[in-house]
Amino acid sequence: MAVLVVADHDRSALRDTTHKTIAAAQAIGGEIDVLVVGSGVQAVAEEAAKIPGVRKVLKAESEALDHAVAEAIAATVLPLAANYDAILSPATTTGKNAFPRIAALLDVMQVSDVIEVIDAKTFVRPIYAGNALETVTTTDAKVVATIRPTTFKAVAAEGGSATIESVDAPAASVTASFVADEVTKSERPELGAAKIVVSGGRAMGSAEEFQRVIEPLADKLGAAVGASRAAVDAGYAPNDYQVGQTGKVVAPALYIAVGISGAIQHLAGMKDSKVIVAINKDADAPIFQIADYGLVQDYKTAVPELMAALEK
Amino acid sequence: MKVLVPVKRVIDYNVKVRVKPDQSGVDLANIKMSMNPFDEIATEEAVRLKEKGIVSEIVVVSIGPQQAQETIRTALAMGADRGIVIVTDERVEPLAVAKLLKAVVEAEQPGLVLMGKQAIDDDNNATGQMLAALLGWPQATFASKLEIAGDVATVTREVDGGLQTLSAKLPAVVTVDLRLNEPRYASLPNIMKAKKKPIEPKTPADYGVDITPRLTVVKVAEPPKRSGGIKVASADELVAKLKTEAGVI
């Protein structure tokens, strides 16, 4: 048995989604190799080589791989596939984009968004916006799967000394090509990895109000900022703040939902949080059914009082 | 240019699903079904491209039980021109759907396939990417903006951390995200007109595609329930609870 994990990184460091995907690889069992793609990623490869239990790190360096274009990633992974029984990626937008392409070219049905590894061929994954958990066994010779990082515990970052090998990288993508990136700038922790998340909903009423209310509270707690689909659709917060079935799935230690009613699609993205706090003036809002602590109050009163209470 | 829009009949997004007591699946008997919300957005985008004169014909295809025809009718009422229904009562996985769609693409020769980024029932987010792979076409997934000039599609994609813009040479597969547009409601006259538009019945065997599932569903279970919480009276009490009882701040 051998498992290939495609690393998630920002070109200067690994993201912890990689460590969590390696944890899933360990649950499958066998030798674990890590593939790092992109240009100028020697430091990232060295970081991956230090992870205990990694046999070797494969490095594919090419500018064609810098922007995670699916065609380029698939062209890098496919020649390596014969050596592995399982190929895994974190279920980030990059993994979700490239991995079904890889799976189809290998004539394998992908197992998407795995939350639990039962054995090398059997996996649990959420369906219907997380309202049901499906256990599936693959009959394919090879496993191609994306791993939901929030449900696995990151492996240690130090202690290993794997070798680093270079592998072939495609020179340029012939089909789709990269034009531009527009990255949301933030000093706050990354939404997917944050210990505390403060989310705002439609009740904020405007982008200014969202920034005035939600962001200072998040900063006070050292938290990441999230938003409901309603808040994103209304333009109160950028798209990549969206928590839910179609946005990000988070599972922080503390999730504070401010002015969010708690639609099924939103709950799909946060109901595995350890402690959920809901602040909403509507005592019948569905969010209170899953909140550990509910405060029925207008956020305009509750948030300033909460800020004051945190000062004490 | 011809556009192919695959649509899926799924449980309505507002319905709270129930897992069957024998854990064989979720209970779909007498449940309201609708077009997958992302597919509505794909249909809307195809219709807008037609209104702009970029697209000449919109073909809608659905794979599933006989009732998948109703989903196609909805798309026809929104402005699509004709439908193809591939009828089967089996569970069809994204890989098999992609193979069937590939056969449809080869027969119809569209310049663009526009489809939803994921179905809200199986939440796989795979079919579009798989179809692009099988056809050897470029893919642009999670599109929130689509511009077509000549034989190039410029697509803005929603990715972790922000937005990314790609350009893809047509033919290509584009999967759509929520932000791309606001789907229109079909008007009554258009619903009546849609009844006269043709829907061609097919079966997987017509395309020679083996749809045997590769994944065996062992069981479908309810997620663990959260234990009931408490209501606090004030922000002070909330902070006290978070510090002492929950220990999270």
Side-chain angles (χ1 to χ4, degrees), chain A residues 258-278:
Chain A
V258 184
I260 292 176
S261 63
I264 296 172
Q265 293 78 14
H266 185 72
L267 303 186
M270 45 64 82
K271 68 188 170 69
D272 294 325
S273 305
K274 189 160 159 267
V275 174
I276 297 172
V277 170

Side-chain angles (χ1 to χ4, degrees), chain B residues 108-126:
Chain B
E108 294 285 342
Q109 300 286 322
L112 176 69
V113 178
L114 258 177
M115 55 199 292
K117 78 162 179 179
Q118 78 189 62
I120 59 161
D121 53 0
D122 63 23
D123 281 333
N124 266 306
N125 193 335

Side-chain angles (χ1 to χ4, degrees), chain B:
Chain B
M1 179 173 69
K2 192 195 282 188
V3 172
L4 185 72
V5 183
V7 297
K8 186 175 185 183
R9 177 177 181 265
V10 298
I11 194 164
D12 188 84
Y13 72 99
N14 276 317
V15 174
K16 175 103 171 66
V17 301
R18 280 196 188 80
V19 172
K20 286 186 199 165
D22 68 357
Q23 298 199 323
S24 62
V26 303
D27 198 351
L28 295 177
N30 304 316
I31 295 268
K32 185 184 178 202
M33 305 292 276
S34 307
M35 192 193 296
N36 181 42
F38 293 99
D39 304 347
E40 285 185 349
I41 294 167
T43 305
E44 173 68 31
E45 196 65 18
V47 174
R48 289 186 190 188
L49 289 171
K50 191 175 176 190
E51 287 166 350
K52 282 186 204 156
I54 295 169
V55 159
S56 52
E57 189 186 25
I58 302 167
V59 181
V60 179
V61 56
S62 193
I63 301 160
Q66 202 52 254
Q67 298 96 312
Q69 281 211 27
E70 296 159 17
T71 311
I72 296 176
R73 285 283 169 218
T74 306
L76 296 177
M78 286 174 73
D81 296 295
R82 63 186 168 88
I84 300 169
V85 62
I86 305 175
V87 178
T88 171
D89 287 322
E90 303 299 313
R91 182 169 65 88
V92 195
E93 291 172 342
L95 184 62
V97 171
K99 287 177 179 180
L100 286 167
L101 292 177
K102 176 181 185 246
V104 174
V105 165
E106 281 163 356
E108 294 285 342
Q109 300 286 322
L112 176 69
V113 178
L114 258 177
M115 55 199 292
K117 78 162 179 179
Q118 78 189 62
I120 59 161
D121 53 0
D122 63 23
D123 281 333
N124 266 306
N125 193 335
T127 307
Q129 295 90 314
M130 288 182 156
L131 175 62
L134 297 177
L135 290 165
W137 287 8
Q139 68 186 50
T141 53
F142 327 144
S144 61
K145 198 174 163 203
L146 169 65
E147 278 168 12
I148 292 176
D151 65 347
V152 174
T154 305
V155 180
T156 302
R157 308 177 52 232
E158 293 197 7
V159 295
D160 294 336
L163 299 170
Q164 181 188 62
T165 306
L166 283 182
S167 85
K169 200 168 176 313
L170 298 177
V173 176
V174 174
T175 77
V176 310
D177 216 319
L178 281 173
R179 240 74 60 187
L180 184 64
N181 61 44
E182 184 100 4
R184 71 192 64 191
Y185 289 101
S187 64
L188 190 58
N190 285 344
I191 292 169
M192 300 312 286
K193 267 188 238 163
K195 292 187 175 170
K196 296 205 179 75
K197 292 180 180 175
I199 298 179
E200 190 183 354
K202 292 276 193 184
T203 66
D206 292 338
Y207 297 102
V209 173
D210 175 11
I211 61 164
T212 312
R214 306 290 186 84
L215 303 181
T216 312
V217 177
V218 180
K219 66 169 183 179
V220 174
E222 293 250 6
K225 287 244 184 325
R226 291 189 75 97
S227 54
I230 56 158
K231 294 241 170 87
V232 294
S234 69
D236 281 327
E237 190 189 342
L238 176 59
V239 171
K241 294 268 188 204
L242 290 177
K243 279 186 177 155
T244 54
E245 206 172 87
V248 286
I249 54 171

